Amino acid sequence: MINENLAGTLVLVLPDAENSPGEKKGQVGVLMYARSETENYVRFPEGGEAFYPAGQVLMLKDKQQVFDDLTKNGSSMPLDDFKAMYKIMLLQDRGTSQALYSALAIANDQPGVQEKVLESIHPVEKQELAKTYGR
């Protein structure tokens, strides 16, 4: 089930989204209504609305996750990716909508960090396997 508390969240339409309505690929918008895995309404600042599957709409990961990734893997990543992740983390720390918009724009421009700082609005839940015992 989609988290209904996401309404109003700034999101990025997947840059390589297939069948993107209105050619809004790679643009930042506001998630207006998270209805289901296949229908999520996004409104764009320059005008227009479109709906996308949840997998094509990305939001920023929690800033603590970004910080943890930087501290663990920062020395082994390319310098440009490190700088981009650091800027994104600082912008997230500001917490304003303009700062979050800028953070999403940086993530869009740096393909090397997208996987590290972005996640789907509908993350795949990990299923716990129940251990069964037989006689």
Side-chain angles (χ1 to χ4, degrees), residues 29-96:
V30 178
L31 183 65
M32 299 306 293
Y33 183 59
R35 182 174 179 176
S36 67
E37 286 186 49
T38 58
E39 195 172 2
N40 300 282
Y41 291 89
V42 178
R43 179 174 287 161
F44 298 95
E46 56 279 343
E49 267 186 17
F51 68 91
Y52 298 92
Q56 292 184 2
V57 181
L58 306 172
M59 64 182 188
L60 289 167
K61 288 183 179 180
D62 182 59
K63 65 183 173 189
Q64 188 63 45
Q65 287 179 306
V66 176
F67 176 75
D68 292 344
D69 193 18
L70 271 174
T71 54
K72 287 180 189 174
N73 306 317
S75 61
S76 64
M77 66 177 60
L79 183 60
D80 288 341
D81 290 352
F82 180 86
K83 286 180 182 179
M85 282 183 69
Y86 188 73
K87 286 178 188 176
I88 289 168
M89 184 192 65
L90 291 176
L91 287 166
Q92 283 182 294
D93 201 35
R94 251 188 225 167
T96 64

Side-chain angles (χ1 to χ4, degrees), residues 95-107:
T96 64
S97 59
Q98 185 176 8
L100 295 175
Y101 187 94
S102 297
L104 284 167
I106 291 169

